[in-house]
């Protein structure tokens, strides 16, 4: 199988969008190029006493609309091109939702599953030592992503605060509530995703109550997607999977118990009352909604012909490759694109920044009310554009997002 490069996929979306918006080639070239990239290494003292060096990246893709924003991933297969693609997606995501922010992303090539708590903390602090001069509450604000969460964000905020000599909550989002975190940030990506999917399902004539759902990925986003799907949207989650494999119960899985099972055994597999399936089998299930909630390049030209869902909701970033998208489109499957569907995390991160910068704390109902309005109204703007221009939802989302970025570049005199 040929390697699929996420940055190439995202540049492909920009090509399409440049065509749709009749953008000048010079403008298109800027949009296809990261503004700043930082490539560095982090020496970490391991528990054995030896020093191991980890490779790390931070890409600040485009800051025309404001300080750059985006998560930090810990993953053994991390590459600079994946980070470039993800940083670009953050720029479009923030612009689509009219947040006063640009896009960035960071990553460390590591396997956090084999690191001790102490090693993880030293690695997290080492990352901030490396980037302390290029991040800040008014320049670039990191956040959680794959295999990072509130604990890592707290260490990173603390490290930055030590370096600059003052507690600076606003430098990072996704923190625990005790150190400037926002209510509702932990499940914001999945919650926002369901607010969008609820509208998309209605437009597709699908009644969410009792609709069948398969969730690929059982990390932060996938777990909350499964739980909230049941409790918020009333769907029947029939299958979920993690990196080790999946489980299926056509009558619906008890997701809370499945969470405990994964906690205890390290995987969703062998869940009592369910049948073990592979990740590939999960993608091919006859369900109403398929939710890829793990990594990029999950649905490819090879497995797309087997997909039978009516809606593919991209809770992950970049889960559908360009070739796969063409296959799904041909089959009449609606793709709810990542920059629309999974923006809830970025939106509540923005709310966290606003609370930090104004020394405020909003209650959970307030955060949820704002998130729901934001997700729903942005979905409608995208859907309306798609209807009017006969575009896919992705094309429509890109035209709105990229137009917003270009407008800022023009206003600033860059083009
Ligand atoms: N990592 C998340 C994303 O890809 C959230 C980014 C953020 O909160 O800044 O959207």
């Amino acid at each position: 199988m040929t390697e699929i490069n996420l940055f190439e996929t995202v540049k492909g979306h920009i090509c399409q969008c440049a065509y749709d918006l009749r953008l000048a080639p010079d403008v298109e070239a800027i949009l296809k190029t990261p503004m700043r990239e930082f490539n560095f290494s982090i020496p970490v003292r391991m528990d054995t006493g030896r020093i191991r060096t980890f490779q790390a990246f931070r890409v600040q893709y485009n800051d025309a609309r404001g300080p750059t924003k985006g998560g930090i991933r810990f993953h053994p297969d991390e590459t600079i091109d994946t980070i470039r693609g993800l940083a670009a997606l953050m720029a479009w995501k923030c612009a689509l939702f009219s947040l006063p922010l640009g896009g960035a992303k960071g990553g460390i090539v590591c396997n956090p599953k084999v690191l001790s708590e102490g090693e993880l903390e030293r690695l997290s602090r080492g990352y901030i030592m490396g980037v302390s001069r290029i991040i800040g509450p008014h320049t670039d604000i990191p956040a959680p992503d794959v295999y990072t969460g509130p604990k890592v964000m707290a260490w990173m905020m603390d490290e930055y605060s030590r370096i600059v000599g003052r507690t600076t909550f606003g430098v990072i989002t996704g923190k625990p509530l005790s150190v400037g975190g926002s209510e509702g940030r932990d499940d914001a990506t999945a919650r926002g995703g369901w607010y969008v999917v609820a509208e998309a399902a209605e437009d597709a004539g699908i009644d969410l109550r009792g609709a069948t759902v398969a969730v690929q990925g059982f990390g932060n986003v996938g777990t909350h997607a499964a739980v909230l799907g049941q409790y918020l949207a009333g769907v029947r989650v029939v299958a979920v999977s993690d990196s080790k494999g999946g489980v299926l119960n056509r009558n619906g899985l008890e997701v809370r118990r499945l969470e405990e099972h994964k906690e205890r055994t390290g995987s969703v597999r062998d869940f009592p009352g369910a049948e073990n399936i592979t990740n590939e089998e999960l993608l091919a299930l006859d369900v109403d909604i398929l939710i890829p909630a793990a990594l990029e390049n999950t649905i490819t030209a090879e497995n797309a012909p087997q997909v039978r869902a009516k809606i593919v909701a991209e809770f992950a970033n970049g889960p559908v490759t360009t070739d796969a998208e063409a296959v799904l489109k041909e089959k009449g499957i609606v793709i709810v694109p990542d920059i629309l569907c999974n923006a809830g995390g970025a939106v509540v991160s923005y709310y966290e920044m606003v609370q930090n910068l104004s020394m405020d704390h909003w209650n959970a109902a307030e955060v949820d009310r704002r998130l729901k309005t934001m997700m729903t109204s942005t979905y409608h703007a995208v859907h309306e554009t798609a209807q009017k221009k006969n575009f896919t939802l992705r094309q429509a989302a890109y035209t709105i997002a990229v137009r917003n970025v270009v407008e800022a570049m023009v206003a600033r005199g860059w083009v």
Side-chain angles (χ1 to χ4, degrees), residues 58 69-73 86 89-90 93-94 101 104-105 141-146 148 173-174 185 189 221 315-317 338 342-350 353:
R58 184 76 182 165
K69 180 92 193 80
I72 300 171
R73 314 206 308 177
L86 293 165
L89 289 178
M90 280 305 301
K93 198 181 294 187
C94 292
L101 296 167
K105 203 77 166 200
I141 306 94
D145 203 277
V146 172
T148 56
T173 58
R185 177 61 185 84
T189 306
V221 177
F315 279 48
N317 287 312
D338 45 13
N342 72 28
V347 168
V348 176
S349 270
Y350 164 67
M353 285 178 65

Coordinates of all heavy atoms in Angstrom, one line a residue, residues 58 69-73 86 89-90 93-94 101 104-105 141-146 148 173-174 185 189 221 315-317 338 342-350 353, ligand 1:
R58 N 6.8 21.7 15.9 CA 5.7 22.7 16.1 C 5.5 23.4 14.8 O 6.5 24.0 14.3 CB 5.9 23.6 17.2 CG 4.7 24.6 17.5 CD 3.5 23.9 18.2 NE 2.4 24.8 18.4 CZ 1.2 24.3 18.7 NH1 0.9 23.0 18.9 NH2 0.2 25.1 18.9
K69 N -3.3 28.4 16.9 CA -3.9 27.5 17.9 C -3.9 26.1 17.4 O -4.2 25.8 16.3 CB -5.4 28.0 18.2 CG -6.2 27.2 19.2 CD -6.1 27.8 20.5 CE -6.6 26.9 21.6 NZ -5.6 25.9 22.0
G70 N -3.6 25.1 18.3 CA -3.7 23.7 17.9 C -3.0 22.8 18.8 O -2.1 23.2 19.6
G71 N -3.4 21.5 18.8 CA -3.0 20.5 19.8 C -1.5 20.1 19.6 O -0.8 20.4 18.7
I72 N -1.2 19.2 20.6 CA 0.1 18.5 20.5 C -0.1 17.0 20.6 O -0.9 16.6 21.5 CB 1.0 18.9 21.7 CG1 1.3 20.4 21.7 CG2 2.3 18.1 21.7 CD1 2.0 20.9 23.0
R73 N 0.4 16.3 19.7 CA 0.2 14.8 19.7 C 1.4 14.1 20.1 O 2.6 14.5 19.8 CB -0.2 14.3 18.3 CG -1.2 15.2 17.5 CD -1.9 14.4 16.5 NE -1.1 13.7 15.6 CZ -1.6 12.9 14.6 NH1 -2.9 12.7 14.6 NH2 -0.8 12.3 13.8
L86 N -2.2 18.8 9.7 CA -3.1 19.0 10.9 C -3.1 20.5 11.3 O -4.1 21.0 11.7 CB -2.6 18.2 12.1 CG -2.8 16.6 11.9 CD1 -2.0 15.9 12.9 CD2 -4.3 16.3 12.0
L89 N -5.3 22.2 8.9 CA -6.7 22.0 9.3 C -7.2 22.9 10.4 O -8.3 23.3 10.4 CB -6.9 20.5 9.7 CG -6.9 19.5 8.5 CD1 -7.0 18.0 9.1 CD2 -7.9 19.7 7.5
M90 N -6.3 23.1 11.4 CA -6.6 24.0 12.5 C -6.9 25.4 12.0 O -7.8 26.1 12.5 CB -5.5 24.0 13.5 CG -5.5 22.9 14.5 SD -7.0 22.6 15.4 CE -7.2 24.1 16.3
K93 N -10.2 25.4 10.4 CA -11.3 25.1 11.4 C -11.6 26.4 12.2 O -12.8 26.8 12.3 CB -10.7 24.0 12.4 CG -11.7 23.3 13.2 CD -11.0 22.3 14.2 CE -10.3 21.2 13.4 NZ -9.8 20.1 14.3
C94 N -10.5 27.1 12.6 CA -10.8 28.3 13.4 C -11.4 29.3 12.5 O -12.3 30.1 13.0 CB -9.4 28.8 14.0 SG -8.8 27.8 15.2
L101 N -8.4 33.4 15.5 CA -7.2 32.5 15.7 C -6.7 32.0 14.4 O -7.5 31.7 13.5 CB -7.6 31.3 16.6 CG -8.0 31.6 18.1 CD1 -8.6 30.4 18.7 CD2 -6.8 32.1 18.9
A104 N -2.2 25.9 14.2 CA -0.9 25.3 14.4 C -1.1 23.9 14.8 O -2.2 23.4 15.1 CB -0.2 26.1 15.5
K105 N 0.0 23.1 14.9 CA 0.0 21.8 15.5 C 1.3 21.4 15.9 O 2.3 21.9 15.4 CB -0.5 20.8 14.4 CG -1.1 19.5 15.0 CD -2.5 19.8 15.5 CE -3.3 18.6 15.8 NZ -4.8 19.0 15.8
I141 N -1.0 29.0 21.0 CA -1.6 28.4 22.2 C -1.9 26.9 21.9 O -2.8 26.5 21.2 CB -2.9 29.1 22.5 CG1 -2.7 30.6 22.7 CG2 -3.5 28.5 23.8 CD1 -3.0 31.4 21.4
P142 N -1.0 26.0 22.5 CA -1.2 24.6 22.3 C -2.4 24.0 23.0 O -3.1 24.8 23.8 CB 0.1 23.9 22.8 CG 1.1 25.0 22.8 CD 0.3 26.3 23.1
A143 N -2.7 22.8 22.8 CA -3.9 22.1 23.4 C -3.7 20.6 23.3 O -2.7 20.1 22.7 CB -5.2 22.5 22.6
P144 N -4.6 19.8 23.9 CA -4.5 18.4 23.8 C -4.8 17.8 22.4 O -5.6 18.5 21.6 CB -5.5 17.8 24.8 CG -6.2 19.0 25.4 CD -5.8 20.2 24.7
D145 N -4.3 16.7 22.1 CA -4.7 16.0 20.9 C -4.4 14.5 21.1 O -4.5 14.1 22.3 CB -3.8 16.5 19.7 CG -4.5 16.2 18.3 OD1 -4.4 15.1 17.8 OD2 -5.2 17.1 17.8
V146 N -4.1 13.7 20.1 CA -3.9 12.3 20.3 C -2.9 11.9 21.4 O -1.8 12.4 21.4 CB -3.5 11.6 18.9 CG1 -3.2 10.1 19.1 CG2 -4.6 11.8 17.9
T148 N -2.6 13.0 24.4 CA -2.3 14.0 25.4 C -3.6 14.4 26.0 O -4.7 14.4 25.3 CB -1.6 15.2 24.8 OG1 -2.3 15.8 23.7 CG2 -0.2 14.8 24.3
T173 N -4.6 25.4 26.4 CA -6.0 25.0 26.8 C -6.1 23.5 27.0 O -5.2 22.8 26.7 CB -7.0 25.5 25.7 OG1 -6.6 24.9 24.4 CG2 -6.9 27.0 25.5
G174 N -7.3 23.1 27.5 CA -7.5 21.7 27.8 C -6.9 21.4 29.1 O -6.6 20.2 29.4
R185 N -14.7 21.2 28.5 CA -13.6 21.0 27.4 C -13.4 19.6 27.2 O -13.0 19.2 26.1 CB -12.3 21.8 27.9 CG -11.1 21.6 26.9 CD -11.4 22.1 25.5 NE -10.4 21.8 24.5 CZ -10.3 20.7 23.8 NH1 -11.1 19.7 24.0 NH2 -9.3 20.5 22.9
T189 N -15.2 18.1 21.9 CA -15.1 17.6 20.5 C -16.3 16.7 20.1 O -16.9 16.9 19.1 CB -13.8 16.9 20.3 OG1 -12.7 17.8 20.7 CG2 -13.5 16.6 18.8
V221 N -12.0 11.3 22.2 CA -13.1 11.7 21.3 C -14.0 10.5 21.1 O -15.3 10.6 21.2 CB -12.5 12.2 20.0 CG1 -13.7 12.5 19.0 CG2 -11.7 13.4 20.2
F315 N -15.1 12.7 13.2 CA -14.7 13.2 14.5 C -13.2 13.3 14.6 O -12.7 14.0 15.4 CB -15.3 12.3 15.6 CG -16.8 12.5 15.9 CD1 -17.7 12.7 14.9 CD2 -17.2 12.7 17.2 CE1 -19.1 12.9 15.2 CE2 -18.6 12.9 17.5 CZ -19.5 13.0 16.5
A316 N -12.5 12.5 13.8 CA -11.0 12.6 13.8 C -10.6 13.6 12.7 O -11.5 14.1 12.0 CB -10.5 11.2 13.4
N317 N -9.4 14.0 12.7 CA -8.9 14.9 11.7 C -8.4 14.1 10.5 O -7.6 13.2 10.7 CB -7.7 15.7 12.2 CG -8.2 16.8 13.2 OD1 -9.1 17.5 12.9 ND2 -7.5 16.9 14.3
D338 N -14.2 17.0 8.8 CA -13.5 17.3 10.1 C -13.6 18.8 10.5 O -13.9 19.0 11.7 CB -12.0 16.8 10.0 CG -11.3 17.2 8.7 OD1 -11.9 18.1 7.9 OD2 -10.3 16.7 8.4
N342 N -15.5 18.3 14.0 CA -14.8 18.1 15.2 C -14.3 19.4 15.8 O -13.4 19.3 16.6 CB -13.7 17.0 15.0 CG -12.5 17.5 14.2 OD1 -12.2 18.7 14.2 ND2 -11.8 16.6 13.6
A343 N -14.8 20.5 15.4 CA -14.3 21.8 15.8 C -14.7 22.1 17.3 O -14.2 23.1 17.8 CB -14.8 22.9 14.9
G344 N -15.6 21.3 17.9 CA -16.1 21.6 19.3 C -14.9 21.8 20.2 O -15.0 22.6 21.1
G345 N -13.9 21.0 20.1 CA -12.7 21.1 21.0 C -12.0 22.4 20.8 O -11.7 23.1 21.8
A346 N -11.8 22.8 19.6 CA -11.2 24.1 19.3 C -12.0 25.2 19.8 O -11.6 26.2 20.4 CB -10.9 24.2 17.9
V347 N -13.3 25.1 19.6 CA -14.3 26.2 20.0 C -14.2 26.4 21.6 O -14.1 27.5 22.1 CB -15.7 25.9 19.5 CG1 -16.7 26.8 20.2 CG2 -15.8 26.0 18.0
V348 N -14.3 25.2 22.3 CA -14.3 25.4 23.8 C -12.9 25.8 24.3 O -12.7 26.4 25.3 CB -14.9 24.1 24.5 CG1 -14.8 24.2 26.0 CG2 -16.3 23.9 24.1
S349 N -11.9 25.4 23.5 CA -10.5 25.8 23.8 C -10.5 27.4 23.7 O -9.9 28.1 24.6 CB -9.5 25.3 22.9 OG -9.0 24.0 23.4
Y350 N -11.1 27.9 22.7 CA -11.2 29.3 22.5 C -11.9 30.0 23.7 O -11.5 31.0 24.3 CB -11.9 29.7 21.2 CG -12.3 31.1 21.1 CD1 -11.4 32.2 21.1 CD2 -13.7 31.4 21.1 CE1 -11.8 33.5 21.0 CE2 -14.1 32.7 21.0 CZ -13.2 33.8 21.0 OH -13.6 35.0 20.9
M353 N -9.6 30.1 26.6 CA -8.7 31.3 26.4 C -9.4 32.6 26.9 O -8.8 33.4 27.6 CB -8.3 31.5 25.0 CG -7.3 30.5 24.4 SD -7.0 30.9 22.7 CE -6.2 32.5 22.8
Ligands
LIG1 N1 -6.6 19.0 19.0 C1 -8.0 19.5 18.8 C2 -8.3 19.6 17.3 O1 -7.6 19.1 16.5 C3 -8.3 20.8 19.6 C4 -7.3 21.9 19.3 C5 -7.5 23.0 20.3 O2 -8.2 22.8 21.3 O3 -6.8 24.0 20.2 O4 -9.2 20.3 16.9

